[in-house]
């Protein structure tokens, strides 16, 4: 499951460990729409820690490609290191954005890092 919302130039996505093909399609669609409407976009992607007893998602790579990728300037990945590595493997071929990693408890720090750019670009 995935939750998506926007604030200014930042797209926020929060997902659980059970991302499926439909969630991936929803994510790519939201990213494409966000990038079309923001020349200097940022993306906050948080993966919630896996719950005990919940089946881990498959090792499939998400196809995260988008035509306006040059508009994506910063990506904050919040979550466990193994998830960040897998997600980056899917993202790197398509983006030159500055990617910064944050631990599961560092969501506020990640948000502040993204807002610094967002606020300086709007001045």
């Amino acid at each position: 499951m995935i939750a998506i919302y926007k604030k200014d130039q930042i797209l926020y996505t929060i997902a659980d460990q059970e991302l499926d093909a439909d969630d991936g399609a929803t994510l790519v669609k939201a990213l494409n729409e966000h990038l079309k409407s923001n020349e200097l976009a940022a993306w906050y992607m948080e993966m919630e820690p896996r719950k005990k007893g919940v089946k881990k998602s498959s090792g499939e790579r998400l196809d995260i490609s988008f035509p306006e990728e040059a508009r994506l300037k910063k990506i904050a990945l919040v979550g466990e290191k193994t998830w960040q590595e897998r997600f980056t493997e899917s993202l790197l071929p398509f983006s030159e954005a500055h990617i910064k990693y944050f631990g599961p408890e560092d969501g506020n720090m990640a948000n502040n890092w993204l807002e610094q750019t967002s606020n300086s670009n709007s001045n």
Side-chain angles (χ1 to χ4, degrees), residues 5-12 34 38 40-44 111 113-116 118:
Y5 64 97
K6 300 172 191 175
K7 180 182 174 196
D8 302 322
Q9 295 175 320
I10 303 172
L11 178 72
Y12 292 89
H34 185 66
N38 292 284
L40 299 171
W43 178 19
Y44 175 101
N111 186 52
W113 179 70
L114 291 175
E115 285 184 349
Q116 288 172 356
S118 180

Side-chain angles (χ1 to χ4, degrees), residues 18 24 62-63 65 89 102 110:
E18 294 298 311
L62 287 174
D63 179 16
S65 59
E89 286 175 13
F102 298 88

Side-chain angles (χ1 to χ4, degrees), residues 61-66 69 86-96 99:
R61 277 179 57 150
L62 287 174
D63 179 16
I64 305 176
S65 59
F66 30 88
E69 70 86 17
R86 259 189 41 219
F87 198 80
T88 301
E89 286 175 13
S90 296
L91 188 61
L92 277 180
F94 307 108
S95 179
E96 295 179 13
I99 301 172

Side-chain angles (χ1 to χ4, degrees), residues 7-33:
K7 180 182 174 196
D8 302 322
Q9 295 175 320
I10 303 172
L11 178 72
Y12 292 89
T13 54
I14 301 172
D16 62 22
Q17 293 281 337
E18 294 298 311
L19 275 179
D20 59 21
D22 290 338
D23 292 328
T26 300
L27 174 60
V28 170
K29 180 180 177 189
L31 270 170
N32 280 317
E33 290 173 359

Side-chain angles (χ1 to χ4, degrees), residues 67-84:
E68 304 285 347
E69 70 86 17
R71 293 179 170 205
L72 186 57
K73 301 303 179 192
K74 280 182 149 182
I75 302 170
L77 294 179
V78 180
E80 298 170 345
K81 186 175 181 169
T82 54
W83 166 81
Q84 292 174 350

